Amino acid sequence: MRKVMRSLRKILAIALLAVTLLGWGGLTAQAAPSVNAEEAIDRAYTMSEEAGLQEEIYQERIEEAESPDNLPKPYERILDLKGNPVPETSLVEKTVEKARELIEDVKGE
């Protein structure tokens, strides 16, 4: 009797897992329709004037965030152990570049 109950539990767990995965897969496949800024603002104004104003503010902030001038600097120079900035080209980089130039001269490229 216990073997039957264990088998039944396993089958039930597998069936529940399959239904869950298939159900979530169908939900994730649906994508929201893309709406441009003007359509979003117009749609918000049809709801209420307050919603339209909020949507305008939201769209302005999105445009400001997309401006490259407002983005933070990508990085600052890494400091060495003494706190000095590491030079942009190190001795290794210079050596590798010279080796590449020599190889290109020998190959004739």
Side-chain angles (χ1 to χ4, degrees):
M1 185 67 169
R2 287 186 181 185
K3 289 183 180 182
V4 173
M5 289 301 288
R6 286 182 190 166
S7 299
L8 189 58
R9 284 184 189 166
K10 287 181 183 179
I11 291 171
L12 183 61
I14 291 171
L16 181 62
L17 181 64
V19 167
T20 304
L21 291 176
L22 291 175
W24 285 351
L27 292 176
T28 57
Q30 297 173 354
S34 62
V35 179
N36 66 19
E38 292 298 321
E39 291 175 356
I41 292 171
D42 291 341
R43 187 175 59 194
Y45 270 114
T46 60
M47 293 180 204
S48 70
E49 185 176 347
E50 200 171 297
L53 293 173
Q54 289 294 323
E55 186 65 29
E56 282 184 21
I57 293 169
Y58 175 74
Q59 294 297 334
E60 286 175 9
R61 289 185 179 166
I62 288 176
E63 289 175 13
E64 289 173 4
E66 291 175 349
S67 171
D69 297 332
N70 297 335
L71 295 175
K73 294 184 177 159
Y75 66 90
E76 293 182 11
R77 292 300 302 164
I78 299 171
L79 302 177
D80 63 4
L81 295 176
K82 295 178 183 176
N84 301 325
V86 176
E88 291 187 29
T89 54
S90 66
L91 180 61
V92 174
E93 291 173 346
K94 289 179 184 177
T95 306
V96 169
E97 184 62 32
K98 287 182 182 179
R100 285 184 182 154
E101 289 174 2
L102 288 172
I103 291 171
E104 289 174 2
D105 288 343
V106 170
K107 285 184 175 181
E109 293 179 357

